[in-house]
Amino acid sequence: MRVSGRRLAELIGRFSRVRALVVGDLMLDRFVWGQVERISPEAPVPVVHVTGEDERPGGAGNVVSNVTALGGRAAACGMVGDDAAGKRLASALRALGAGTEGVVVSRHARTTEKTRIIAHQQQVVRLDREAPPLLDGMGTRRVRDFVLRGCARFDVVVVSDYAKGVVGPELLAALAEAHARAPFTWVVDPKLMKPNRTEAAEAAGIDIRDRASLSAAGRRLLERWEAEAVLISCGEEGMALFKRGGGVQEFPTVAREVYDVTGAGDTVLATCALALGAGGTLEEATVLANHAAGVVVGKIGTATLRADELRATLRGRRPTARAVGLRAADAARELKRGARRKPRGRLSGARAAREQRTGPRMS
């Protein structure tokens, strides 16, 4: 199916009107940037000379970052611990201009932190600070109640599940019931499931080795999830869109250089959500998401892209120098710029949920 470039440009132009509610597992991503010049005399490991550090919202927070970077208006809903990392995460979300009324602070939870040490454009090691999956019944009910009160006011609802305990059967069932009463647009749910190839293989119980097994897995997931569509991300091979009552549509990757795939799935999710919220079709949303992923994998860390970068890649242009990955100094400037912006008022708008769990997203 051929998608009009003019139509895609029109959809990108509407992103600024889309109000997205992002619900899921909020995390704090920390990046330590440096250079490796020698091997440690104490052990056969590289010695990283630190040149800079920065922090960004991760997990569902990275979906929020992608929505706002593309010009959309976002509200975050999830849970953080009553700790310093949780405070910094909420502050970083507000600096993006995102609504944080739905961010629940729990005394029974610990904010998940992921620290990535990067040298010479390569990740050396990742350090995780997290507790077992969340079991705060009161906190998860507060998240559920916030989503149910607000879902009808958003143009799209995005469920971002990293298996940390926020997204569970009760929340998904409540959203499904709300959708049955008053339909709204949703992503990562029966409206549009978006697993990667590994997740799709696990959920379908089919080892995806080639196009035939991919097709079989996609058809089984459509049936099992009773979904309108399933979009499977296939890494360097692009994406495959399965629609109920139709065949598979394949979208080859548009990435030119791949430095880091961290957070690329969040970019796909955010772009699909904005495109659907702007009135796009599943095919149009997939094309835009494929191009967006092709840009961010050429950046380092949990990167985002702007609407003008997405327009440029649609025209076949390479991203500008400014677009080739955030460094520590760039991140600091962005954070200061965000802090100086007046936070947007209370957001309204929404649309989404899903009836059955897709299984945990790799984190």
Side-chain angles (χ1 to χ4, degrees), residues 112-314:
T112 297
E113 301 175 71
K114 296 183 184 296
T115 301
R116 296 172 176 86
I117 299 175
I118 297 174
H120 304 290
Q121 298 186 335
Q122 290 186 341
Q123 190 174 144
V124 177
V125 68
R126 193 181 87 179
L127 313 175
D128 288 5
R129 296 180 177 90
E130 60 183 346
L134 193 60
L135 293 173
D136 182 351
M138 182 177 292
T140 53
R141 283 194 296 273
R142 289 174 62 190
V143 168
R144 179 200 61 194
D145 292 345
F146 180 86
V147 176
L148 293 181
R149 286 196 305 270
C151 62
R153 298 183 291 114
F154 287 81
D155 299 306
V156 61
V157 172
V158 186
V159 179
S160 179
D161 181 13
Y162 277 82
K164 305 302 179 187
V166 169
V167 180
E170 288 186 10
L171 173 62
L172 298 175
L175 285 169
E177 289 175 11
H179 180 266
R181 291 193 301 270
F184 48 79
T185 301
W186 49 25
V187 178
V188 188
D189 48 44
K191 174 65 178 177
L192 174 61
M193 301 283 194
K194 198 210 69 60
N196 63 34
R197 180 162 48 190
T198 301
E199 296 159 352
E202 182 179 347
I206 294 175
D207 183 18
I208 299 177
R209 304 176 309 277
D210 49 29
R211 293 179 70 181
S213 54
L214 173 65
S215 181
R219 287 196 301 271
R220 180 171 294 183
L221 293 180
L222 277 174
E223 207 172 291
R224 179 169 294 175
W225 288 335
E226 299 179 5
E228 179 183 326
V230 172
L231 175 63
I232 300 179
S233 300
C234 301
E236 68 279 3
E237 296 175 19
M239 299 180 185
L241 177 64
F242 297 84
K243 292 175 66 177
R244 183 165 293 281
V248 58
Q249 298 179 63
E250 297 183 65
F251 299 81
T253 184
V254 296
R256 291 173 175 169
E257 296 173 308
V258 178
Y259 286 110
D260 193 344
V261 298
T262 305
D266 296 328
T267 300
V268 169
L269 185 58
T271 308
C272 279
L274 287 172
L276 293 172
T281 65
L282 290 166
E283 290 81 4
E284 290 164 345
T286 302
V287 171
L288 286 173
N290 196 23
H291 279 273
V295 174
V296 296
V297 295
K299 302 183 180 186
I300 304 297
T302 48
T304 60
L305 79 160
R306 305 180 310 276
D308 62 304
E309 293 177 74
L310 185 53
R311 289 192 189 94
T313 192
L314 286 173

